Amino acid sequence: MMTRSPQGRTNRFIRPSIAVAAAVAVTAGVVAAAPGARTAQPKPKLSLIAASTSVTLDSWKEDPGVYLDLGTYLTSENGAFELKVTRKSYKDPVTVSQVFRNGKKTTTKALPAGLVKDFSGLPDFAQVQLTDAAGKTVLKQTEAFCPNNASGRVRPDAPANSKYPQSCPVNPFTLGSVWGVENGWASNTYAGYYSKPVQLAAGTYTAKIDVTKKYRDLFGIASKPQTVKVVVRERSWEEPAPAAAERGAHQGHAGHQGHTASQGHEGHGGPAAASGHGAHAAHGAPARTEAPAGRTTGAGATFNVGHGPYPPAPPALPWALKKESLQRQSFAAATVGDRAGQTDGSRRAPGVAPNAKRPTGKASVPAVPKPDLRSLPAYGITVSDGYEEVPGKDYLAFSANVWNAGPAKLVVDGFRSPGKKLMDAYQYFYDAKGKQVGYTPTGTMEWDPRPGHEHWHFTDFASYRLLKADKKETVRSGKEAFCLANTDAVDYTVKNANWHPGNTDLSTACGQENSISVREVLDVGSGDTYTQDLPGQSFDITNLPNGTYYIQVLANPENRLKETNHKNNSALRKVVLGGKKGARTVKVPAHDLVKSN
């Protein structure tokens, strides 16, 4: 049974505010609203600013390409900038509305139909134009903008923390999201490593950045293009170590890079295997800008083996934050992770501690809100071989997500009797004030000792089955035990959704071999994705005839967990198998309006 190991990294990352350099630059560019300008329904004043007048970007000889993190930010004053993004079902298009909050009064305004196609951000938001030293335009492109991206305060009297989520989800089956720039905050307009690198020769350029007219008109943003000097330098992995300040920065980055590279699918095509970057980082060589991985699923951290369907994506670290860290001669304050406003799959949120001891007294299931576990249709579906473990086989690999529609979070504690191999698991129930008012035994937790796993699984959380065209079972996955983590923001518009869930990576949620107890939580609005890509988890299709099948994702298969509704636990995804043994193929028809695989 597969798990998603953090490979032993347990320390929490530092949570700095955005760099002082950025704050000064941002504050200087923001004009406070006049005292008499407020109305019964205040509207946020949005402005585009640049944190720095110049940036230096690297292009690596071994893998050329420049990521245009130009250090531009969208600020919000006179109130928060908030968007609610939803779809009623997979048969309906994604819609977006702007939310205005004035004390206890909340109003919404529907934005034009078709403005967004998915939940990853506002498309074509920023216009970027680059000219070379001779004044020739060498690049002109637009970039999407996630309002939750890499944000920080722009003035000292702004709220200390942003209430908005720390990512824009990219799971193809997301149902609802909330995007926002907190009042007195700014969010990086750079699309991060979700954007493609551009090919630029070493040299000096001038970048002109502005918000596109469509959004200026829609949100009342003044046209004030920002100009940034861009120095592109060509680097090589083999060059000597940089000077002290820069070396300290890169070694900090290298250490993190080595960590992310070690994830992936347990030695089968993870980032390290694909690129060898981890080897460079591990030996202290000057770390290149981390190569982009595929998009993460968007809840928070993906420092988890088996999470997916995408490998870990490096962060969109704001230039101003990089600059300050260099000034401090330490990159430690700017390493990616559990930072307010961080997006792009790099955030790590801590887990929660279990109760001090196992529950006593009579077990009961009180009449209080309970979780509602639901399955998303499978996605990330591919055909793979058996790797070196089972050569000559054909497997159908896929990703599956079980999420919690609420209104209460799922809380499961495991307690271990000394010397026993299994933990006894208990589900807890809470009243409206958060007081524990009941519990019930709910199976066991088991320790998986295999390298790359090494954490505690809650048994019977979900099962995966490949059904024939008549929807009768033909193959069952061997994976049914899991460590729970909030990897995906599936619907943050449901009642009691937690926009800042804990235990987003397994180093905080799944315990150690010598743990006496663990707590695993699936929060309201979040889901947990597992990638079933190894033999024993994926479906063996070597000898199955070609034709139509359905991948079934089934939450809580034995009904061990108490829910508000047990009738919505199954989801099906149609697939069509073809090809010949050793060269099988799969076609994945669209699921209503969701065409993404």
Side-chain angles (χ1 to χ4, degrees):
M1 287 174 284
M2 176 180 174
T3 63
R4 302 151 295 176
S5 169
Q7 302 291 329
R9 184 160 176 145
T10 59
N11 60 299
R12 289 190 59 190
F13 292 113
I14 299 172
R15 301 186 59 144
S17 297
I18 206 164
V20 173
V24 172
V26 173
T27 305
V30 176
V31 179
R38 295 184 179 273
T39 63
Q41 181 178 294
K43 295 184 178 180
K45 177 180 174 59
L46 306 180
S47 303
L48 180 71
I49 58 90
S52 176
T53 57
S54 65
V55 297
T56 300
L57 305 176
D58 290 335
S59 177
W60 295 85
K61 292 179 181 179
E62 293 82 359
D63 186 11
V66 176
Y67 293 91
L68 288 178
D69 182 357
L70 302 174
T72 52
Y73 293 79
L74 187 75
T75 70
S76 184
E77 294 286 354
N78 196 40
F81 174 56
E82 182 174 328
L83 300 177
K84 181 180 179 181
V85 193
T86 61
R87 58 180 162 201
K88 294 180 180 178
S89 73
Y90 300 127
K91 296 180 180 180
D92 297 289
V94 178
T95 63
V96 58
S97 58
Q98 187 170 2
V99 180
F100 303 93
R101 300 185 186 276
N102 183 17
K104 294 183 179 181
K105 181 180 179 181
T106 301
T107 58
T108 59
K109 173 187 175 183
L111 299 184
L115 184 67
V116 299
K117 302 296 183 183
D118 55 30
F119 295 87
S120 61
L122 295 168
D124 302 320
F125 182 86
Q127 175 74 54
V128 180
Q129 180 175 320
L130 253 65
T131 56
D132 61 17
K136 179 183 177 181
T137 299
V138 296
L139 180 144
K140 191 172 184 179
Q141 68 182 29
T142 59
E143 290 191 346
F145 170 54
C146 168
N148 299 341
N149 182 39
S151 59
R153 296 191 299 172
V154 299
R155 48 183 172 81
D157 61 333
N161 298 295
S162 172
K163 60 178 169 286
Y164 296 106
Q166 297 181 328
S167 69
C168 288
V170 292
N171 186 309
F173 289 100
T174 301
L175 289 164
S177 184
V178 178
W179 305 338
V181 182
E182 184 62 89
N183 183 35
W185 284 55
S187 291
N188 195 338
T189 61
Y190 172 52
Y193 288 83
Y194 297 159
S195 63
K196 294 181 180 180
V198 297
Q199 303 301 315
L200 293 173
T204 301
Y205 301 84
T206 299
K208 182 179 179 181
I209 310 99
D210 199 3
V211 177
T212 53
K213 187 177 186 302
K214 174 174 65 175
Y215 292 106
R216 295 201 308 265
D217 294 344
L218 185 61
F219 299 123
I221 306 172
S223 179
K224 294 183 178 179
Q226 300 297 309
T227 300
V228 177
K229 177 185 175 182
V230 181
V231 178
V232 175
R233 62 182 180 184
E234 189 176 59
R235 303 283 303 279
S236 172
W237 300 343
E238 305 303 327
E239 69 186 27
E246 188 175 0
R247 182 171 61 247
H250 284 293
Q251 284 177 341
H253 205 173
H256 179 75
Q257 180 183 17
H259 164 61
T260 55
S262 69
Q263 308 313 305
H265 301 304
E266 300 175 354
H268 300 292
S275 65
H277 302 160
H280 288 284
H283 289 86
R288 51 160 292 180
T289 303
E290 290 175 316
R295 296 186 178 193
T296 63
T297 49
T302 52
F303 297 112
N304 306 307
V305 173
H307 278 302
Y310 311 108
L317 195 62
W319 165 252
L321 197 57
K322 297 178 190 175
K323 183 176 180 181
E324 186 194 18
S325 69
L326 291 175
Q327 290 171 342
R328 294 181 178 181
Q329 299 188 7
S330 171
F331 205 69
T335 48
V336 297
D338 189 12
R339 176 186 305 111
Q342 187 67 53
T343 182
D344 57 48
S346 66
R347 185 175 69 89
R348 288 169 54 123
V352 288
N355 285 342
K357 54 186 178 181
R358 68 177 66 219
T360 58
K362 185 178 181 180
S364 65
V365 182
V368 294
K370 297 179 181 64
D372 182 9
L373 300 180
R374 302 182 185 181
S375 300
L376 297 184
Y379 58 104
I381 302 166
T382 60
V383 171
S384 66
D385 59 25
Y387 305 113
E388 59 270 21
E389 286 96 336
V390 193
K393 292 277 191 174
D394 296 302
Y395 290 91
L396 186 65
F398 60 99
S399 288
N401 183 291
V402 172
W403 71 288
N404 180 9
K409 61 185 176 182
L410 172 66
V411 180
V412 178
D413 275 1
F415 293 95
R416 187 178 188 177
S417 297
K420 299 292 185 181
K421 291 185 176 181
L422 297 179
M423 288 189 181
D424 298 317
Y426 301 87
Q427 182 182 358
Y428 293 96
F429 309 99
Y430 301 84
D431 64 17
K433 295 182 179 180
K435 179 182 178 181
Q436 180 186 317
V437 292
Y439 79 92
T440 186
T442 186
T444 60
M445 292 185 183
E446 60 185 11
W447 174 256
D448 190 329
R450 293 175 296 171
H453 299 257
E454 298 179 339
H455 51 221
W456 289 91
H457 291 170
F458 173 58
T459 56
D460 296 321
F461 175 69
S463 68
Y464 311 127
R465 301 165 189 183
L466 185 63
L467 310 182
K468 295 182 292 187
D470 60 3
K471 299 183 181 178
K472 294 182 178 179
E473 182 178 323
T474 183
V475 182
R476 180 179 296 197
S477 167
K479 176 66 176 178
E480 294 193 356
F482 305 84
C483 173
L484 307 184
N486 296 299
T487 67
D488 293 64
V490 177
D491 193 348
Y492 276 7
T493 68
V494 297
K495 182 179 179 181
N496 295 337
N498 184 357
W499 296 353
H500 297 272
N503 63 294
T504 57
D505 80 279
L506 301 175
S507 68
T508 60
C510 301
Q512 307 297 322
E513 184 176 10
N514 61 355
S515 295
I516 195 69
S517 58
V518 296
R519 168 161 288 189
E520 299 184 6
V521 178
L522 193 60
D523 227 317
V524 178
S526 290
D528 187 2
T529 292
Y530 266 93
T531 297
Q532 313 298 314
D533 72 329
L534 298 180
Q537 302 153 357
S538 52
F539 299 122
D540 185 349
I541 59 172
T542 307
N543 298 314
L544 291 185
N546 291 338
T548 297
Y549 295 85
Y550 292 89
I551 297 175
Q552 181 189 41
V553 180
L554 182 61
N556 195 14
E558 303 299 328
N559 289 335
R560 291 181 183 272
L561 296 168
K562 305 303 179 183
E563 302 183 57
T564 59
N565 186 357
H566 289 272
K567 296 180 180 180
N568 54 12
N569 289 5
S570 175
L572 300 178
R573 187 74 190 272
K574 183 178 180 180
V575 296
V576 181
L577 298 181
K580 298 180 180 179
K581 185 175 180 179
R584 300 300 297 271
T585 63
V586 60
K587 294 181 179 179
V588 186
H591 186 89
D592 296 327
L593 294 181
V594 179
K595 297 180 181 179
S596 173
N597 179 22

